[in-house]
Amino acid sequence: MEKLLIYRERLLKFIAARGRYIQSGIRFLSGFILFYAMGRLFGYTDFFASPFFLVMMGIINVFIPTSALSLIFYVVIFLQLAHVSLEVALFFLLAVLLYFLVYQRVFPETRIYLMMVPVFFYFQLPACIPIFAGMFAGIAGIPAILMGTFIYYLATMVSQAVTQLQTGAAHGKIYSLVAARAIDNKELLLYFGIFCLIVVLITAIRRKGAARSWEVSILVGGAAYVILLFAGGYFANSEVSILAQIGMVVVSIVIAIIIQFLYNVIAVSYTHLRAHETGAY
């Protein structure tokens, strides 16, 4: 136990000495990964998926606030959609404007949760979404992750419509094919319901303030996610791979525990360490 404390203190001193570089590195990776995922989901123009653009967005993200990153995020999606269907792009723009006026301008700190949703879906880790939102945003984060889920499924529906038209499997306008898929998309509604319930559950456990409530909320949230997904998939007649989903939830729980550790132990201890050093001087 003493060795662990010694290692932790060394790690904290390392962070204190190189905190600015670590933060810049994390912001670079975040911007790169975000637009890498978006380039794969909305891959209709080569430029937005090019290594040059991804590296530039990583560099730009080091220097800009989250609000500016969010604006670029929306603009890139709009331009990608406009490349294949102006009607779908205008619908997306309208949805974003309504979302901003009704919710985001009141809770601007939830922008990050919206942008992380398509990324976690792309990397097949959707269980991380409600767990993270419940841990750090609470119930106020629900609209953000629902909007992010809508963006992800809009990307998949547009991609499927484009593929159908290119292969000759369907005929008509892209917006009509997307609308038809949206009406019959039970999976989207299933995730809406699961995400809402998991966020509420995790938030309720955390607010009790019991010992190790963070770890308990993560484990309970992960288990509830599996149960709700299987039950919902059964009633919605949606195929669910049991082993794949369980493996995904286990990985999501491990990631959440690591992030929780970094947030609650290292970040808090780092703040105290800096305050102590400042007082010493």
Side-chain angles (χ1 to χ4, degrees), residues 175-216:
Y175 69 86
S176 61
L177 296 177
V178 171
R181 285 185 172 275
I183 293 173
D184 296 330
N185 200 324
K186 296 179 181 179
E187 189 174 296
L188 174 61
L189 297 178
L190 176 62
Y191 275 114
F192 274 5
I194 291 175
F195 287 173
C196 290
L197 292 173
I198 298 301
V199 171
V200 171
L201 177 62
I202 292 177
T203 303
I205 295 174
R206 277 186 49 242
R207 286 183 176 177
K208 287 184 177 181
R212 310 190 72 83
S213 60
W214 284 84
E215 292 85 348
V216 172

Side-chain angles (χ1 to χ4, degrees), residues 38 42 72-82 92 151:
M38 300 316 296
F42 296 92
I72 297 173
F73 173 81
Y74 290 132
V75 170
V76 168
I77 294 176
F78 176 81
L79 293 176
Q80 291 270 39
L81 291 174
F92 170 76
I151 291 174

Side-chain angles (χ1 to χ4, degrees), residues 13-230:
K13 290 181 180 179
F14 175 81
I15 294 174
R18 298 172 176 81
R20 183 176 299 178
Y21 302 105
I22 295 173
Q23 183 183 29
S24 297
I26 292 174
R27 290 183 66 88
F28 174 84
L29 287 176
S30 299
F32 185 94
I33 293 172
L34 172 64
F35 287 97
Y36 171 83
M38 300 316 296
R40 296 301 181 272
L41 293 173
F42 296 92
Y44 306 117
T45 56
D46 294 334
F47 174 74
F48 292 123
S50 65
F52 171 78
F53 177 75
L54 299 179
V55 172
M56 287 303 300
M57 289 312 307
I59 295 173
I60 290 172
N61 190 41
V62 175
F63 303 100
I64 62 174
T66 305
S67 57
L69 180 67
S70 177
L71 178 60
I72 297 173
F73 173 81
Y74 290 132
V75 170
V76 168
I77 294 176
F78 176 81
L79 293 176
Q80 291 270 39
L81 291 174
H83 187 75
V84 294
S85 174
L86 181 59
E87 294 86 355
V88 176
L90 291 175
F91 170 75
F92 170 76
L93 179 61
L94 177 61
V96 170
L97 289 175
L98 290 174
Y99 172 78
F100 176 81
L101 293 173
V102 174
Y103 173 77
Q104 187 167 287
R105 66 188 182 92
V106 181
F107 299 97
E109 68 278 2
T110 60
R111 293 186 181 99
I112 188 68
Y113 300 102
L114 184 152
M115 291 186 288
M116 77 178 187
V117 172
V119 176
F120 279 126
F121 265 115
Y122 174 76
F123 288 106
Q124 303 298 313
L125 294 170
C128 286
I129 298 166
I131 293 176
F132 280 15
M135 287 168 56
F136 301 112
I139 296 176
I142 289 178
I145 63 173
L146 295 186
M147 183 64 178
T149 304
F150 160 75
I151 291 174
Y152 169 76
Y153 274 93
L154 177 64
T156 60
M157 290 185 291
V158 171
S159 177
Q160 291 168 354
V162 170
T163 301
Q164 284 184 320
L165 291 176
Q166 290 176 344
T167 59
H171 302 280
K173 299 291 185 179
I174 290 180
Y175 69 86
S176 61
L177 296 177
V178 171
R181 285 185 172 275
I183 293 173
D184 296 330
N185 200 324
K186 296 179 181 179
E187 189 174 296
L188 174 61
L189 297 178
L190 176 62
Y191 275 114
F192 274 5
I194 291 175
F195 287 173
C196 290
L197 292 173
I198 298 301
V199 171
V200 171
L201 177 62
I202 292 177
T203 303
I205 295 174
R206 277 186 49 242
R207 286 183 176 177
K208 287 184 177 181
R212 310 190 72 83
S213 60
W214 284 84
E215 292 85 348
V216 172
S217 65
I218 293 171
L219 295 174
V220 172
Y225 180 92
V226 173
I227 295 172
L228 291 172
L229 185 64
F230 290 161

